[in-house]
Amino acid sequence: MWLIRLYARVLGQLGSDLRLGAMLALANVALAISAFAEPILFGRIIDVLTRAQVPGTPRVTFGTLTPLIVAWVAFGFFTIGAGALVALQADRLSHRRRLAVMANYFEHVLELPLAFHTSTHSGRVLKVMLEGSSGMAWLWLGFFREHMSAFIALIVLLPLTVFINWRLGMLLVGLVLVFTVLTAIVLRKTEKLQGRVESYHSSLAEHASDALGNVPVIQSFTRVEAETRSLHTIIHDLLQAQNPVLFWWAVASVASRASATITVTAIFLVGTALHLNGLATIGEVVMFMSMATMLISRLEQAVNFINQLFMQAPKMREFFEVLDTAPAVHDRPNAKDVERFTGAVAFENVSFSYDGKRPAVQDVTFTVSPGENVALVGSTGSGKSTTLGLLHRAFDPQSGLIRIDGDDIRDLTLASLRRNIGVVFQEPMLFARSIRENLQVGRPDATDAEMIEALERAQAIEFISRQSDGLDTIIGERGRSLSGGERQRLSIARALLKNPPVLILDEATSALDAATEQKLQKALDEVMKGRTTFVIAHRLATIRNADRILVFDQGRVVETGTFDELVATGGRFAELAKAQFMAGASQPRPKRRKVQVHEVERVVAEG
């Protein structure tokens, strides 16, 4: 039953082409009736001709046979013409819907929460999209080309043969049922086996994607042979799982061929015996032999279809599993669109946990005035990045509220919220496109002059000018043709070009050398004026001039104040500053001594 439900769901993905699909379905019904009518009419013609050989019966003329012959020929030509038209339209529908389903899947995946993407390999996501959509395209094509008419012939028209000659009809139905039972047995044998095969296919895609995305590491650590060996191991396991499935379907294929011979022979022998006893005419024997040949052909089509459906089922189940994953963050009904924020931000008792067990952020409360520059500091895993992820709704808190300009951010459209917030991530996250296209991510209508200005302010214009194609230079996958610092500066320019009222800098200068960082820090100081800015930094020198510093520890804000106030307090921030100073000391000391606050201030100020 799960296979039938899956098949029904695939047909439900026809979307806007559902009407065309219904028309093709009706055409298939007509084709099935037409294909069944041909042997019946041919049998009637044979009966008329054989009865004419009996002494004393009226002579048969061509005019007597004309209606039967015309109907027989008409059905034949209708089958050819309608079949060609159905095949053409089915091809077009299949390719069109495959691309539409891929586009819908792609859009859906991009809206899924970051938790999904961190736990699901991108290679698997891509493999599921390509193989799932291709599997559905094959099903649509096969269904409308031949499978639907085959099932109509087997399920609806086959029982009607009993009314033509119940003895031959029952024989035909019985033989088809026996073969159907054998096919069901094969299905049961291979159901779980094919699921294992698909899991190995996913592992293969993940491993290959992983290796191709880390070629420099593989070559540097001479891992080519080891990675290839691992891939061969997965392939070996895949084949070991696949072979039993292939064996059982080979059995089904041989059985289908044998059934054709057995069925035709049985119909001929039984039909001959019935004719000799006056229980069947020659026309009926010929008719049932033709129908047997046709039905066995249809049965082979059905078996091949079920075989392929079974092979494709795990791929499509994976596809629908991803499609059924609900985005954790979405627009509320009647969410409002705000053109531009003022920039007042408030966190009110906000808590969030990734796994529902250990809180990543707990009871965080603070307010930020428009234009204020706030730094978030703390050890790794203290909740800084999670807090700012909640601000631009990478995920929603389990409790508490986040407000911008007095509005709960969940009452705002995601598009307007993220349009007003610019983020510079610690990882540059660039596209394998041109520099121009990477800059236009945040502002598609930006002019060349505006892009150049943003690059200058991000201290990036120097290396851009060295590129042979300037702004049209393709920078490779994840910007690999650029150095780490160049990639980071380009991502900063991208955020500056967006010109958002709220700016988030998540270790934005971490990949820069000291000289470039100093230049960029001056540019950032200028850019931060007039906009609400949140800065996550481990190097405390970069937040020396922050209006306020929030110190995080185990998901909570444990201290707040200016740089000088926090150092003077001697709390958690002072400990971080001392630890940083001691880690940065270049000369070993003969013995431990207490690090004074004024020393910390001096070292941090010097960078």
Side-chain angles (χ1 to χ4, degrees):
M1 291 301 295
W2 68 265
L3 207 61
I4 296 172
R5 287 195 297 269
L6 179 65
Y7 192 29
R9 185 164 186 189
V10 170
L11 292 177
Q13 291 293 310
L14 289 173
S16 59
D17 284 304
L18 194 58
R19 181 176 295 180
L20 175 59
M23 292 174 62
L24 289 173
L26 290 174
N28 271 275
V29 173
L31 281 170
I33 294 171
S34 176
F36 230 79
E38 286 185 68
I40 294 175
L41 289 168
F42 184 65
R44 293 288 180 255
I45 293 170
I46 296 296
D47 276 341
V48 171
L49 291 173
T50 54
R51 278 196 298 267
Q53 305 301 316
V54 179
T57 56
R59 184 172 176 272
V60 176
T61 63
F62 191 79
T64 307
L65 293 171
T66 298
L68 290 172
I69 292 173
V70 168
W72 180 48
V73 172
F75 274 112
F77 277 111
F78 173 79
T79 301
I80 295 170
L85 184 62
V86 166
L88 176 63
Q89 292 300 325
D91 269 345
R92 292 177 176 175
L93 178 146
S94 174
H95 287 288
R96 184 166 59 246
R97 292 311 306 168
R98 179 177 69 86
L99 296 174
V101 164
M102 282 178 62
N104 292 338
Y105 175 97
F106 181 74
E107 181 181 3
H108 175 75
V109 167
L110 292 182
E111 292 176 345
L112 290 179
L114 292 178
F116 170 85
H117 292 282
T118 53
S119 63
T120 308
H121 198 285
S122 59
R124 176 180 178 271
V125 173
L126 182 60
K127 174 248 182 192
V128 168
M129 180 180 75
L130 296 176
E131 292 191 350
S133 59
S134 294
M136 281 189 273
W138 179 87
L139 284 182
W140 291 321
L141 184 61
F143 180 79
F144 292 118
R145 265 191 170 184
E146 52 191 31
H147 300 142
M148 184 180 178
S149 59
F151 282 114
I152 291 171
L154 292 169
I155 297 171
V156 180
L157 300 179
L158 175 61
L160 297 180
T161 59
V162 175
F163 296 97
I164 299 172
N165 185 305
W166 70 269
R167 294 174 179 86
L168 291 174
M170 289 300 294
L171 176 62
L172 197 55
V173 170
L175 289 169
V176 170
L177 284 176
V178 168
F179 186 68
T180 302
V181 170
L182 291 174
T183 304
I185 292 172
V186 172
L187 278 174
R188 285 188 172 276
K189 291 287 186 182
T190 56
E191 181 177 350
K192 291 183 179 179
L193 295 174
Q194 187 58 34
R196 286 185 59 212
V197 170
E198 203 50 43
S199 69
Y200 284 120
H201 276 294
S202 294
S203 298
L204 187 65
E206 290 178 8
H207 184 89
S209 176
D210 226 18
L212 292 173
N214 292 283
V215 170
V217 176
I218 290 172
Q219 292 179 349
S220 175
F221 286 85
T222 61
R223 290 279 306 172
V224 174
E225 185 179 345
E227 292 296 322
T228 304
R229 190 165 54 249
S230 296
L231 190 71
H232 280 299
T233 300
I234 297 172
I235 292 172
H236 175 267
D237 293 339
L238 192 157
L239 289 174
Q240 290 296 106
Q242 184 78 76
N243 286 335
V245 178
L246 297 177
F247 167 79
W248 280 106
W249 283 109
V251 170
S253 179
V254 170
S256 67
R257 290 190 178 93
S259 69
T261 303
I262 293 170
T263 302
V264 171
T265 304
I267 291 292
F268 176 75
L269 293 175
V270 174
T272 301
L274 290 172
H275 174 68
L276 293 175
N277 288 284
L279 299 174
T281 65
I282 293 175
E284 287 176 340
V285 175
V286 173
M287 180 196 311
F288 271 87
M289 287 185 67
S290 296
M291 284 194 293
T293 303
M294 181 194 70
L295 285 170
I296 291 301
S297 172
R298 297 295 194 188
L299 198 57
E300 286 182 347
Q301 289 177 357
V303 169
N304 288 333
F305 163 72
I306 293 172
N307 180 8
Q308 289 298 319
L309 175 59
F310 206 76
M311 295 289 190
Q312 300 291 338
K315 300 174 185 178
M316 290 182 290
R317 276 195 296 188
E318 279 191 311
F319 185 95
F320 286 122
E321 281 173 9
V322 175
L323 213 58
D324 290 339
T325 304
V329 177
H330 51 80
D331 285 340
R332 283 179 172 176
N334 303 316
K336 66 178 182 179
D337 188 285
V338 177
E339 185 60 32
R340 190 170 179 84
F341 296 156
T342 302
V345 176
F347 277 65
E348 302 174 5
N349 299 312
V350 173
S351 296
F352 174 79
S353 172
Y354 289 100
D355 56 11
K357 300 175 182 177
R358 185 177 64 86
V361 171
Q362 191 170 6
D363 297 326
V364 170
T365 299
F366 63 86
T367 58
V368 179
S369 303
E372 192 174 359
N373 176 6
V374 177
L376 284 70
V377 301
S379 57
T380 301
S382 60
K384 308 181 299 298
S385 295
T386 301
T387 298
L388 296 187
L390 291 166
L391 178 60
H392 62 90
R393 292 195 72 190
F395 19 74
D396 282 334
Q398 273 93 31
S399 63
L401 288 177
I402 303 172
R403 299 183 186 276
I404 294 183
D405 299 339
D407 291 318
D408 184 342
I409 59 173
R410 289 172 292 190
D411 292 329
L412 308 174
T413 63
L414 277 169
S416 67
L417 175 70
R418 292 171 180 173
R419 185 176 62 241
N420 280 278
I421 298 176
V423 184
V424 179
F425 299 97
Q426 188 171 3
E427 290 290 329
M429 298 185 186
L430 301 176
F431 296 95
R433 303 169 191 172
S434 68
I435 292 172
R436 182 193 307 279
E437 289 173 298
N438 273 281
L439 289 172
Q440 289 176 328
V441 165
R443 191 176 161 197
D445 60 345
T447 64
D448 284 8
E450 290 169 329
M451 284 187 268
I452 294 297
E453 181 186 0
L455 290 166
E456 287 177 343
R457 295 170 72 184
Q459 305 294 312
I461 193 62
E462 180 183 352
F463 76 83
I464 299 296
S465 62
R466 294 198 304 266
Q467 305 297 324
S468 57
D469 295 323
L471 291 174
D472 295 316
T473 302
I474 304 297
I475 59 175
E477 186 178 1
R478 298 175 185 171
R480 283 180 179 171
S481 65
L482 305 178
S483 70
E486 289 170 345
R487 290 197 294 269
Q488 191 69 308
R489 279 179 277 171
L490 184 56
S491 71
I492 291 170
R494 180 173 61 189
L496 298 181
L497 185 65
K498 186 179 179 181
N499 190 29
V502 179
L503 183 65
I504 296 173
L505 304 175
D506 188 351
E507 284 291 319
T509 62
S510 61
L512 306 180
D513 58 78
T516 304
E517 181 183 12
Q518 191 174 13
K519 293 178 183 178
L520 185 58
Q521 194 62 50
K522 293 178 181 178
L524 288 177
D525 289 342
E526 184 64 29
V527 169
M528 288 187 286
K529 290 179 180 177
R531 77 182 80 235
T532 306
T533 307
F534 295 90
V535 182
I536 296 177
H538 287 102
R539 284 188 283 187
L540 302 184
T542 60
I543 58 168
R544 184 68 179 81
N545 298 320
D547 296 324
R548 189 152 39 112
I549 298 172
L550 304 178
V551 184
F552 279 75
D553 186 34
Q554 297 183 3
R556 296 177 180 272
V557 177
V558 294
E559 293 178 358
T560 181
T562 65
F563 189 97
D564 293 335
E565 289 170 350
L566 292 174
V567 169
T569 301
R572 178 63 177 154
F573 182 80
E575 290 177 5
L576 291 172
K578 291 175 184 179
Q580 192 169 110
F581 165 69
M582 293 176 68
S586 58
Q587 298 296 328
R589 292 176 174 81
K591 60 180 181 178
R592 293 183 61 185
R593 63 186 180 87
K594 185 176 180 181
V595 181
Q596 301 298 321
V597 169
H598 69 85
E599 289 183 299
V600 172
E601 292 178 321
R602 176 181 58 78
V603 173
V604 169
E606 292 173 354

